[in-house]
Amino acid sequence: MTHTAHRILIVGGGYAGFYTAWKLEKRLRRGEAEVTIVDPLAYMTYQPFLPEVAAGSIEARHSVVPLRRHLKRTRIVAAKVTGIDHAHKTATITPIAGEPYQQEYDQIVVTAGAVSRTFPIPGIADNAIGLKTIEEAVAIRDRLLTNFDKAAALPPGPERERLLTVVVVGGGFAGIEVFAELRSFASSLVAKYPELTFDETHFHLIEAMGRIMPEVSLKTSEWVLKDLAKRGAFVHLDTQVTSAVDGDVELSTGEVIPADLIVWTAGVMANPTVVRGGDLPVEERGRIRTRADLRVGTDDEIVEGAWAAGDVAAVPDLSGGGVGGYCVPNAQHAVRQGKLLAKNIVAVLRGENPVDYLHKNLGAVAGLGLYNGAFQSGNIAIKGFLAWLAHRGYHGLAMPTWERKLRVVAGWLGNVVLGRDMANLEAVQHPRAAFEEFAARPRPAQPAVTPPQAPRDAGAAADAPEKSRVAAGR
Protein backbone atom coordinates (compact mmCIF):
# COMPACT_ATOMS: atom_id res chain seq x y z
CA MET A 1 0.00 0.00 0.00
CA THR A 2 1.38 3.44 -0.89
CA HIS A 3 1.22 6.01 1.91
CA THR A 4 0.68 9.55 0.69
CA ALA A 5 0.33 10.99 4.21
CA HIS A 6 3.30 11.15 6.55
CA ARG A 7 3.01 8.75 9.47
CA ILE A 8 3.90 10.45 12.75
CA LEU A 9 4.28 8.22 15.80
CA ILE A 10 4.28 9.93 19.22
CA VAL A 11 5.67 7.82 22.06
CA GLY A 12 4.07 8.96 25.32
CA GLY A 13 0.96 11.01 26.11
CA GLY A 14 2.32 13.25 28.87
CA TYR A 15 2.87 17.01 28.62
CA ALA A 16 5.12 17.04 25.59
CA GLY A 17 3.31 14.24 23.77
CA PHE A 18 -0.16 15.65 24.34
CA TYR A 19 0.80 19.19 23.34
CA THR A 20 2.62 17.93 20.25
CA ALA A 21 -0.47 16.03 19.07
CA TRP A 22 -2.83 18.82 20.10
CA LYS A 23 -0.91 21.47 18.17
CA LEU A 24 -0.32 19.18 15.17
CA GLU A 25 -4.08 18.86 14.81
CA LYS A 26 -4.29 22.63 14.53
CA ARG A 27 -1.35 23.03 12.11
CA LEU A 28 -1.62 20.05 9.77
CA ARG A 29 -3.77 20.21 6.67
CA ARG A 30 -6.33 17.50 6.08
CA GLY A 31 -4.58 14.40 4.75
CA GLU A 32 -1.11 15.87 5.26
CA ALA A 33 -0.16 13.44 8.02
CA GLU A 34 -1.50 10.60 10.14
CA VAL A 35 -0.75 11.07 13.83
CA THR A 36 -0.69 8.18 16.30
CA ILE A 37 -0.01 8.58 20.01
CA VAL A 38 0.93 5.52 22.09
CA ASP A 39 0.59 5.44 25.86
CA PRO A 40 -0.69 2.76 28.25
CA LEU A 41 -2.77 5.44 29.99
CA ALA A 42 -5.30 7.30 27.87
CA TYR A 43 -4.85 10.59 29.71
CA MET A 44 -2.28 13.29 30.40
CA THR A 45 -1.61 14.00 34.07
CA TYR A 46 -1.10 17.63 35.09
CA GLN A 47 1.62 16.83 37.60
CA PRO A 48 1.82 20.22 39.40
CA PHE A 49 -1.62 19.36 40.82
CA LEU A 50 -0.51 16.07 42.39
CA PRO A 51 0.33 17.60 45.81
CA GLU A 52 -3.13 19.17 45.98
CA VAL A 53 -4.76 15.89 44.91
CA ALA A 54 -2.85 14.16 47.72
CA ALA A 55 -4.20 16.77 50.15
CA GLY A 56 -7.82 16.55 48.96
CA SER A 57 -7.85 20.06 47.45
CA ILE A 58 -8.44 18.93 43.85
CA GLU A 59 -10.55 16.09 42.52
CA ALA A 60 -8.26 13.49 40.96
CA ARG A 61 -10.16 13.22 37.65
CA HIS A 62 -9.98 16.98 37.15
CA SER A 63 -6.18 16.79 37.21
CA VAL A 64 -5.95 14.65 34.09
CA VAL A 65 -6.79 15.37 30.45
CA PRO A 66 -8.49 12.48 28.58
CA LEU A 67 -6.68 12.04 25.29
CA ARG A 68 -9.65 10.66 23.38
CA ARG A 69 -11.84 13.61 24.35
CA HIS A 70 -9.44 16.36 23.32
CA LEU A 71 -7.48 14.82 20.44
CA LYS A 72 -10.08 14.65 17.69
CA ARG A 73 -7.91 13.62 14.72
CA THR A 74 -5.23 11.58 16.46
CA ARG A 75 -5.26 7.80 16.72
CA ILE A 76 -4.92 6.78 20.38
CA VAL A 77 -3.30 3.42 21.14
CA ALA A 78 -3.34 2.09 24.71
CA ALA A 79 0.05 0.40 24.70
CA LYS A 80 3.74 0.71 25.47
CA VAL A 81 6.47 1.22 22.93
CA THR A 82 8.96 -1.46 23.97
CA GLY A 83 11.36 -1.14 21.07
CA ILE A 84 12.45 1.43 18.49
CA ASP A 85 14.36 0.35 15.38
CA HIS A 86 14.88 3.72 13.80
CA ALA A 87 17.28 2.31 11.23
CA HIS A 88 14.23 0.63 9.69
CA LYS A 89 11.69 3.13 11.07
CA THR A 90 9.66 0.59 12.95
CA ALA A 91 8.54 0.48 16.58
CA THR A 92 7.47 -2.48 18.68
CA ILE A 93 4.04 -1.82 20.18
CA THR A 94 3.02 -3.87 23.21
CA PRO A 95 -0.71 -3.24 23.81
CA ILE A 96 -2.41 -3.58 27.17
CA ALA A 97 -4.35 -6.48 25.63
CA GLY A 98 -3.13 -8.64 22.79
CA GLU A 99 0.21 -9.55 21.25
CA PRO A 100 3.06 -7.13 20.43
CA TYR A 101 3.30 -5.97 16.84
CA GLN A 102 5.47 -3.78 14.61
CA GLN A 103 4.40 -0.31 13.54
CA GLU A 104 6.05 1.58 10.71
CA TYR A 105 6.45 5.35 10.78
CA ASP A 106 8.02 8.23 8.90
CA GLN A 107 8.59 10.54 11.87
CA ILE A 108 8.92 9.44 15.49
CA VAL A 109 8.44 11.76 18.44
CA VAL A 110 9.79 10.41 21.75
CA THR A 111 8.06 12.10 24.68
CA ALA A 112 7.91 9.17 27.09
CA GLY A 113 8.61 11.31 30.17
CA ALA A 114 10.33 10.20 33.35
CA VAL A 115 9.84 7.84 36.26
CA SER A 116 10.89 8.07 39.90
CA ARG A 117 14.61 7.57 40.38
CA THR A 118 15.43 5.58 43.49
CA PHE A 119 18.55 4.10 45.05
CA PRO A 120 19.08 0.58 46.41
CA ILE A 121 18.22 1.60 49.97
CA PRO A 122 16.84 -1.31 52.02
CA GLY A 123 13.08 -1.03 52.47
CA ILE A 124 12.42 1.84 50.05
CA ALA A 125 11.14 -0.33 47.20
CA ASP A 126 8.85 -2.20 49.61
CA ASN A 127 7.52 0.64 51.77
CA ALA A 128 7.75 3.99 49.94
CA ILE A 129 5.47 5.50 47.31
CA GLY A 130 6.35 8.00 44.58
CA LEU A 131 4.56 11.11 43.36
CA LYS A 132 4.67 10.88 39.57
CA THR A 133 1.17 9.59 38.82
CA ILE A 134 -2.39 10.48 39.74
CA GLU A 135 -2.81 7.00 41.20
CA GLU A 136 0.05 7.62 43.63
CA ALA A 137 -1.40 10.96 44.74
CA VAL A 138 -4.80 9.38 45.43
CA ALA A 139 -3.18 6.51 47.32
CA ILE A 140 -1.24 8.96 49.52
CA ARG A 141 -4.43 10.85 50.38
CA ASP A 142 -6.37 7.71 51.19
CA ARG A 143 -3.52 6.21 53.23
CA LEU A 144 -3.31 9.33 55.40
CA LEU A 145 -7.09 9.30 55.97
CA THR A 146 -7.09 5.58 56.75
CA ASN A 147 -4.23 6.06 59.20
CA PHE A 148 -6.21 8.74 61.04
CA ASP A 149 -9.14 6.32 61.31
CA LYS A 150 -6.88 3.55 62.62
CA ALA A 151 -5.07 5.85 65.04
CA ALA A 152 -8.33 7.13 66.50
CA ALA A 153 -9.25 3.54 67.40
CA LEU A 154 -5.97 2.88 69.24
CA PRO A 155 -4.87 4.04 72.69
CA PRO A 156 -2.10 6.68 72.86
CA GLY A 157 1.30 5.14 72.28
CA PRO A 158 4.03 4.31 69.73
CA GLU A 159 1.76 2.45 67.27
CA ARG A 160 -0.68 5.36 67.13
CA GLU A 161 2.09 7.87 66.53
CA ARG A 162 3.63 5.67 63.82
CA LEU A 163 0.32 5.85 61.94
CA LEU A 164 0.36 9.64 62.26
CA THR A 165 3.95 10.05 61.06
CA VAL A 166 4.74 11.06 57.47
CA VAL A 167 8.23 11.08 55.95
CA VAL A 168 8.92 12.79 52.62
CA VAL A 169 12.29 12.16 50.95
CA GLY A 170 13.51 14.95 48.67
CA GLY A 171 13.49 18.71 49.12
CA GLY A 172 12.85 19.86 45.56
CA PHE A 173 9.62 21.54 44.47
CA ALA A 174 7.58 18.33 44.38
CA GLY A 175 8.81 17.22 47.79
CA ILE A 176 8.25 20.55 49.51
CA GLU A 177 4.82 21.03 47.99
CA VAL A 178 3.47 17.59 48.94
CA PHE A 179 5.10 17.89 52.38
CA ALA A 180 3.49 21.25 53.08
CA GLU A 181 0.13 20.23 51.61
CA LEU A 182 -0.01 17.05 53.68
CA ARG A 183 0.98 18.96 56.82
CA SER A 184 -1.83 21.42 56.16
CA PHE A 185 -4.25 18.56 55.45
CA ALA A 186 -3.33 16.68 58.63
CA SER A 187 -3.72 19.84 60.73
CA SER A 188 -7.26 20.25 59.42
CA LEU A 189 -8.04 16.59 60.08
CA VAL A 190 -7.11 16.78 63.76
CA ALA A 191 -10.18 18.95 64.38
CA LYS A 192 -12.37 16.12 63.04
CA TYR A 193 -10.84 13.49 65.34
CA PRO A 194 -11.39 14.43 69.02
CA GLU A 195 -9.45 11.31 70.05
CA LEU A 196 -6.24 12.70 68.49
CA THR A 197 -4.04 15.71 69.20
CA PHE A 198 -1.86 17.84 66.97
CA ASP A 199 1.26 16.83 68.94
CA GLU A 200 0.71 13.20 67.91
CA THR A 201 1.16 14.06 64.22
CA HIS A 202 4.76 14.10 63.01
CA PHE A 203 6.04 15.30 59.63
CA HIS A 204 9.68 14.89 58.54
CA LEU A 205 11.30 15.91 55.25
CA ILE A 206 14.72 14.43 54.44
CA GLU A 207 17.04 16.33 52.07
CA ALA A 208 20.59 15.23 51.22
CA MET A 209 21.71 18.75 50.28
CA GLY A 210 22.19 21.73 52.55
CA ARG A 211 19.13 23.58 51.26
CA ILE A 212 15.68 23.03 49.77
CA MET A 213 14.07 24.27 46.56
CA PRO A 214 17.14 25.18 44.47
CA GLU A 215 14.79 26.84 41.93
CA VAL A 216 14.29 29.82 44.28
CA SER A 217 16.69 32.13 46.11
CA LEU A 218 18.34 31.05 49.33
CA LYS A 219 16.41 33.72 51.20
CA THR A 220 13.08 32.41 49.92
CA SER A 221 13.99 28.80 50.73
CA GLU A 222 14.95 29.83 54.26
CA TRP A 223 11.56 31.53 54.67
CA VAL A 224 9.88 28.29 53.62
CA LEU A 225 11.89 26.39 56.24
CA LYS A 226 10.82 28.82 58.97
CA ASP A 227 7.20 28.66 57.84
CA LEU A 228 7.22 24.84 57.95
CA ALA A 229 8.79 24.89 61.41
CA LYS A 230 5.98 27.14 62.68
CA ARG A 231 3.49 24.55 61.47
CA GLY A 232 5.15 21.70 63.34
CA ALA A 233 7.05 20.18 60.41
CA PHE A 234 10.69 19.11 60.62
CA VAL A 235 13.21 19.40 57.78
CA HIS A 236 16.46 17.41 58.00
CA LEU A 237 19.14 18.98 55.77
CA ASP A 238 22.45 17.33 54.85
CA THR A 239 20.79 14.04 55.75
CA GLN A 240 20.26 10.80 53.85
CA VAL A 241 17.96 7.84 54.31
CA THR A 242 20.01 4.68 54.94
CA SER A 243 17.16 2.21 55.50
CA ALA A 244 13.37 2.00 55.58
CA VAL A 245 12.88 -1.66 56.48
CA ASP A 246 9.45 -2.28 58.05
CA GLY A 247 8.76 1.45 57.87
CA ASP A 248 11.53 2.38 60.31
CA VAL A 249 13.27 5.24 58.48
CA GLU A 250 16.93 5.26 59.51
CA LEU A 251 18.87 8.45 58.79
CA SER A 252 22.57 9.06 58.24
CA THR A 253 22.52 11.03 61.51
CA GLY A 254 21.62 7.85 63.42
CA GLU A 255 18.03 8.91 64.08
CA VAL A 256 15.23 6.39 63.44
CA ILE A 257 11.72 7.59 62.52
CA PRO A 258 8.96 4.96 62.66
CA ALA A 259 6.52 5.94 59.89
CA ASP A 260 3.61 4.34 58.06
CA LEU A 261 3.65 6.74 55.08
CA ILE A 262 6.92 7.35 53.19
CA VAL A 263 6.76 9.53 50.06
CA TRP A 264 9.76 9.45 47.70
CA THR A 265 10.37 12.58 45.57
CA ALA A 266 14.18 12.48 45.37
CA GLY A 267 14.66 12.79 41.64
CA VAL A 268 13.51 11.35 38.33
CA MET A 269 15.08 9.52 35.40
CA ALA A 270 14.16 9.19 31.75
CA ASN A 271 11.73 6.36 31.01
CA PRO A 272 14.13 3.38 30.80
CA THR A 273 11.77 1.13 28.82
CA VAL A 274 11.86 3.49 25.86
CA VAL A 275 15.43 4.72 26.15
CA ARG A 276 17.03 1.30 26.53
CA GLY A 277 14.72 -0.39 24.06
CA GLY A 278 15.78 1.62 21.02
CA ASP A 279 18.69 2.61 18.82
CA LEU A 280 18.44 6.39 19.28
CA PRO A 281 21.56 8.06 20.76
CA VAL A 282 21.60 8.43 24.54
CA GLU A 283 23.74 10.78 26.66
CA GLU A 284 25.52 9.94 29.92
CA ARG A 285 22.49 10.62 32.15
CA GLY A 286 20.30 8.22 30.24
CA ARG A 287 18.32 10.75 28.19
CA ILE A 288 17.93 10.84 24.42
CA ARG A 289 20.49 13.19 22.93
CA THR A 290 18.53 16.06 21.40
CA ARG A 291 19.42 19.21 19.49
CA ALA A 292 18.12 22.67 20.35
CA ASP A 293 15.59 22.38 17.49
CA LEU A 294 14.28 19.18 19.17
CA ARG A 295 15.57 16.84 16.47
CA VAL A 296 17.46 13.85 17.85
CA GLY A 297 21.20 14.14 17.35
CA THR A 298 24.02 16.60 17.97
CA ASP A 299 25.11 19.91 16.49
CA ASP A 300 27.19 17.97 13.95
CA GLU A 301 24.84 15.10 13.16
CA ILE A 302 21.07 14.88 12.81
CA VAL A 303 19.08 11.67 13.14
CA GLU A 304 16.57 12.30 10.38
CA GLY A 305 12.94 11.59 11.22
CA ALA A 306 13.47 11.44 14.98
CA TRP A 307 12.41 14.04 17.55
CA ALA A 308 12.39 14.16 21.35
CA ALA A 309 11.16 16.52 24.07
CA GLY A 310 10.28 16.68 27.73
CA ASP A 311 11.85 14.75 30.58
CA VAL A 312 13.10 11.93 28.35
CA ALA A 313 15.22 14.31 26.25
CA ALA A 314 18.50 16.11 26.88
CA VAL A 315 17.59 19.44 25.27
CA PRO A 316 20.26 22.19 25.37
CA ASP A 317 19.18 25.19 27.43
CA LEU A 318 20.15 28.16 25.24
CA SER A 319 19.12 30.58 28.00
CA GLY A 320 22.11 29.45 30.08
CA GLY A 321 19.99 28.67 33.10
CA GLY A 322 19.88 24.89 32.85
CA VAL A 323 21.80 22.46 35.01
CA GLY A 324 24.81 21.19 33.06
CA GLY A 325 23.69 23.19 30.04
CA TYR A 326 20.42 21.27 29.57
CA CYS A 327 16.79 22.06 30.27
CA VAL A 328 15.71 20.77 33.66
CA PRO A 329 12.89 18.20 33.66
CA ASN A 330 9.81 20.22 34.55
CA ALA A 331 6.36 21.02 33.22
CA GLN A 332 7.25 24.46 31.88
CA HIS A 333 9.83 23.07 29.46
CA ALA A 334 7.77 20.02 28.47
CA VAL A 335 4.71 22.11 27.53
CA ARG A 336 6.65 24.70 25.56
CA GLN A 337 8.80 22.08 23.84
CA GLY A 338 5.68 20.18 22.81
CA LYS A 339 4.20 23.29 21.22
CA LEU A 340 7.43 24.06 19.34
CA LEU A 341 7.85 20.44 18.34
CA ALA A 342 4.55 20.47 16.47
CA LYS A 343 5.56 23.66 14.70
CA ASN A 344 8.97 22.27 13.75
CA ILE A 345 7.61 18.95 12.47
CA VAL A 346 5.17 20.76 10.19
CA ALA A 347 7.99 23.03 9.00
CA VAL A 348 10.20 20.09 8.05
CA LEU A 349 7.33 18.30 6.29
CA ARG A 350 6.84 21.43 4.17
CA GLY A 351 10.53 21.84 3.37
CA GLU A 352 11.14 24.67 5.84
CA ASN A 353 13.76 24.96 8.59
CA PRO A 354 12.94 24.22 12.24
CA VAL A 355 13.73 26.81 14.91
CA ASP A 356 15.62 26.35 18.17
CA TYR A 357 13.93 26.05 21.54
CA LEU A 358 14.68 29.08 23.70
CA HIS A 359 12.73 29.71 26.86
CA LYS A 360 13.86 31.77 29.78
CA ASN A 361 12.37 30.68 33.07
CA LEU A 362 9.87 33.33 34.13
CA GLY A 363 9.88 32.21 37.74
CA ALA A 364 8.84 29.49 40.13
CA VAL A 365 5.73 29.26 42.25
CA ALA A 366 4.90 26.70 44.93
CA GLY A 367 1.77 25.95 46.91
CA LEU A 368 2.47 25.30 50.59
CA GLY A 369 -0.99 24.32 51.79
CA LEU A 370 -4.24 26.26 51.83
CA TYR A 371 -3.74 30.05 51.60
CA ASN A 372 0.05 29.79 51.68
CA GLY A 373 2.72 29.76 48.99
CA ALA A 374 6.03 31.08 47.68
CA PHE A 375 6.76 32.81 44.38
CA GLN A 376 10.16 33.75 42.93
CA SER A 377 10.94 35.59 39.69
CA GLY A 378 14.41 37.00 39.47
CA ASN A 379 14.94 39.13 42.55
CA ILE A 380 11.21 39.46 43.18
CA ALA A 381 9.84 37.16 45.88
CA ILE A 382 6.27 36.94 47.16
CA LYS A 383 5.28 34.82 50.12
CA GLY A 384 2.11 33.76 51.89
CA PHE A 385 -1.43 34.36 50.66
CA LEU A 386 -0.53 36.43 47.57
CA ALA A 387 1.91 33.75 46.43
CA TRP A 388 -0.80 31.13 46.94
CA LEU A 389 -3.12 33.16 44.69
CA ALA A 390 -0.33 33.43 42.11
CA HIS A 391 0.16 29.65 42.30
CA ARG A 392 -3.51 28.92 41.67
CA GLY A 393 -3.80 31.59 39.02
CA TYR A 394 -0.79 30.35 37.07
CA HIS A 395 -1.72 26.67 37.17
CA GLY A 396 -5.40 27.37 36.56
CA LEU A 397 -4.41 29.10 33.32
CA ALA A 398 -1.73 26.54 32.44
CA MET A 399 -4.13 23.58 32.68
CA PRO A 400 -4.86 22.63 29.06
CA THR A 401 -8.36 22.97 27.55
CA TRP A 402 -11.16 25.16 28.86
CA GLU A 403 -13.16 22.13 29.88
CA ARG A 404 -10.42 21.10 32.32
CA LYS A 405 -9.78 24.66 33.54
CA LEU A 406 -13.45 25.07 34.44
CA ARG A 407 -13.55 21.80 36.37
CA VAL A 408 -10.46 22.72 38.41
CA VAL A 409 -11.55 26.29 39.16
CA ALA A 410 -15.07 25.13 40.08
CA GLY A 411 -13.53 22.69 42.53
CA TRP A 412 -11.40 25.39 44.09
CA LEU A 413 -14.39 27.69 44.49
CA GLY A 414 -16.38 24.85 46.01
CA ASN A 415 -13.65 24.24 48.57
CA VAL A 416 -13.79 27.88 49.67
CA VAL A 417 -17.44 27.38 50.66
CA LEU A 418 -17.54 23.69 51.55
CA GLY A 419 -14.04 23.01 52.77
CA ARG A 420 -11.54 20.42 51.67
CA ASP A 421 -12.85 16.99 50.65
CA MET A 422 -11.84 14.33 53.19
CA ALA A 423 -13.70 11.34 51.73
CA ASN A 424 -11.55 8.23 52.12
CA LEU A 425 -11.82 5.88 49.14
CA GLU A 426 -8.97 3.51 49.94
CA ALA A 427 -11.39 0.58 49.59
CA VAL A 428 -11.54 1.31 45.85
CA GLN A 429 -8.12 -0.36 45.58
CA HIS A 430 -9.90 -3.63 46.48
CA PRO A 431 -13.31 -3.06 44.90
CA ARG A 432 -14.52 -6.68 45.13
CA ALA A 433 -13.73 -7.15 48.82
CA ALA A 434 -17.26 -6.37 50.09
CA PHE A 435 -18.90 -8.39 47.33
CA GLU A 436 -16.66 -11.39 47.97
CA GLU A 437 -17.27 -11.26 51.73
CA PHE A 438 -21.00 -11.85 51.40
CA ALA A 439 -21.29 -13.56 48.02
CA ALA A 440 -23.09 -16.92 48.09
CA ARG A 441 -20.96 -19.77 46.81
CA PRO A 442 -21.90 -23.32 45.73
CA ARG A 443 -21.61 -25.82 48.53
CA PRO A 444 -18.75 -28.26 48.09
CA ALA A 445 -19.71 -31.63 46.68
CA GLN A 446 -20.40 -34.27 49.36
CA PRO A 447 -18.45 -37.56 49.22
CA ALA A 448 -20.40 -40.49 47.73
CA VAL A 449 -21.99 -42.82 50.40
CA THR A 450 -22.99 -46.46 49.68
CA PRO A 451 -26.72 -46.69 50.46
CA PRO A 452 -27.73 -49.32 53.09
CA GLN A 453 -29.28 -52.54 51.78
CA ALA A 454 -33.04 -53.08 52.06
CA PRO A 455 -34.08 -55.35 55.00
CA ARG A 456 -35.28 -58.19 52.72
CA ASP A 457 -32.08 -58.11 50.74
CA ALA A 458 -30.07 -58.02 53.94
CA GLY A 459 -31.94 -61.07 55.31
CA ALA A 460 -31.45 -62.98 52.09
CA ALA A 461 -27.75 -62.25 52.23
CA ALA A 462 -27.59 -63.39 55.84
CA ASP A 463 -29.37 -66.69 55.02
CA ALA A 464 -27.16 -67.47 52.09
CA PRO A 465 -24.21 -68.86 54.08
CA GLU A 466 -26.55 -71.10 56.15
CA LYS A 467 -28.14 -72.52 53.05
CA SER A 468 -24.77 -73.24 51.64
CA ARG A 469 -23.71 -75.16 54.75
CA VAL A 470 -26.92 -77.27 54.72
CA ALA A 471 -26.39 -78.12 51.09
CA ALA A 472 -22.80 -79.14 51.76
CA GLY A 473 -23.97 -81.44 54.64
CA ARG A 474 -26.10 -83.42 52.28
Side-chain angles (χ1 to χ4, degrees):
M1 175 185 254
T2 302
H3 289 274
T4 56
H6 290 276
R7 296 163 297 180
I8 302 173
L9 177 64
I10 302 175
V11 183
Y15 290 118
F18 171 77
Y19 271 94
T20 299
W22 202 27
K23 296 303 179 181
L24 279 174
E25 289 191 349
K26 300 178 185 300
R27 291 181 174 275
L28 288 169
R29 305 185 189 105
R30 288 281 180 182
E32 189 173 8
E34 300 170 353
V35 181
T36 300
I37 189 166
V38 179
D39 196 295
L41 301 175
Y43 52 80
M44 184 213 87
T45 301
Y46 191 75
Q47 293 183 355
F49 283 159
L50 294 183
E52 290 194 71
V53 171
S57 296
I58 295 181
E59 163 60 36
R61 286 185 176 85
H62 298 171
S63 303
V64 300
V65 179
L67 301 183
R68 296 183 188 277
R69 174 164 185 166
H70 295 285
L71 297 178
K72 307 294 187 183
R73 295 161 49 197
T74 301
R75 178 174 172 241
I76 312 296
V77 179
K80 290 183 179 180
V81 172
T82 52
I84 297 174
D85 182 3
H86 192 65
H88 298 92
K89 291 196 173 181
T90 61
T92 302
I93 311 296
T94 303
I96 60 175
E99 297 298 319
Y101 60 91
Q102 302 297 310
Q103 167 121 5
E104 296 181 346
Y105 60 82
D106 299 307
Q107 305 279 333
I108 190 167
V109 179
V110 184
T111 55
V115 299
S116 295
R117 181 194 61 180
T118 58
F119 306 103
I121 300 170
I124 286 295
D126 299 321
N127 298 299
I129 185 169
L131 190 67
K132 287 291 294 176
T133 68
I134 195 69
E135 294 82 6
E136 289 173 324
V138 171
I140 290 169
R141 181 198 66 194
D142 290 343
R143 171 69 71 85
L144 186 63
L145 288 166
T146 296
N147 284 358
F148 265 76
D149 288 335
K150 290 179 178 179
L154 293 174
E159 185 55 31
R160 184 151 105 170
E161 296 203 20
R162 173 192 283 270
L163 289 167
L164 299 177
T165 298
V166 176
V167 172
V168 176
V169 185
F173 250 62
I176 289 296
E177 285 193 298
V178 73
F179 185 62
E181 290 284 356
L182 290 177
R183 172 69 274 184
S184 173
F185 189 28
S187 298
S188 68
L189 288 177
V190 170
K192 306 293 192 299
Y193 290 83
E195 306 91 341
L196 306 176
T197 66
F198 178 88
D199 292 338
E200 290 178 296
T201 62
H202 307 288
F203 281 73
H204 298 267
L205 183 134
I206 317 301
E207 171 52 48
M209 297 177 62
R211 61 163 297 182
I212 60 171
M213 302 172 71
E215 299 89 344
V216 302
S217 68
L218 181 60
K219 185 177 180 181
T220 300
S221 71
E222 289 175 343
W223 176 87
V224 173
L225 287 174
K226 292 177 182 177
D227 181 72
L228 289 171
K230 290 178 185 177
R231 294 153 61 185
F234 301 91
V235 178
H236 306 256
L237 299 177
D238 295 313
T239 306
Q240 297 178 346
V241 175
T242 58
S243 176
V245 175
D246 297 328
D248 291 329
V249 182
E250 298 180 15
L251 307 182
S252 55
T253 59
E255 184 178 356
V256 179
I257 305 171
D260 193 72
L261 179 55
I262 305 168
V263 183
W264 181 274
T265 66
V268 297
M269 64 179 180
N271 189 320
T273 302
V274 174
V275 172
R276 297 171 187 169
D279 57 357
L280 297 176
V282 178
E283 48 91 66
E284 56 274 8
R285 295 190 63 183
R287 297 174 297 179
I288 294 176
R289 194 176 295 280
T290 309
R291 294 160 45 92
D293 59 12
L294 305 179
R295 287 183 287 186
V296 174
T298 64
D299 290 339
D300 302 322
E301 185 177 359
I302 300 172
V303 179
E304 295 291 346
W307 307 78
D311 295 356
V312 77
V315 180
D317 190 339
L318 302 183
S319 72
V323 178
Y326 294 99
C327 296
V328 297
N330 65 23
Q332 282 192 44
H333 284 303
V335 169
R336 287 163 176 79
Q337 287 170 10
K339 293 178 180 179
L340 178 64
L341 217 162
K343 181 179 179 180
N344 279 353
I345 290 174
V346 173
V348 169
L349 293 183
R350 296 174 183 173
E352 303 169 4
N353 292 325
V355 299
D356 289 344
Y357 174 73
L358 176 60
H359 168 68
K360 187 172 178 59
N361 193 347
L362 300 178
V365 60
L368 303 174
L370 282 181
Y371 315 121
N372 197 13
F375 169 80
Q376 181 87 46
S377 180
N379 295 324
I380 301 173
I382 304 173
K383 312 174 190 73
F385 180 70
L386 290 179
W388 177 79
L389 288 177
H391 172 267
R392 292 218 157 171
Y394 172 79
H395 287 298
L397 291 173
M399 184 71 177
T401 81
W402 280 105
E403 179 256 340
R404 255 22 202 176
K405 293 180 200 293
L406 291 174
R407 291 183 188 273
V408 170
V409 172
W412 281 337
L413 294 175
N415 286 347
V416 172
V417 179
L418 305 173
R420 190 166 10 201
D421 191 346
M422 55 177 288
N424 180 6
L425 298 178
E426 188 173 42
V428 78
Q429 298 175 35
H430 308 282
R432 297 188 67 250
F435 180 81
E436 288 181 336
E437 181 180 358
F438 301 104
R441 290 177 170 81
R443 292 187 178 185
Q446 298 297 319
V449 178
T450 302
Q453 291 178 316
R456 179 176 298 179
D457 293 340
D463 291 341
E466 184 64 26
K467 291 179 179 178
S468 297
R469 285 194 294 273
V470 172
R474 287 180 185 174

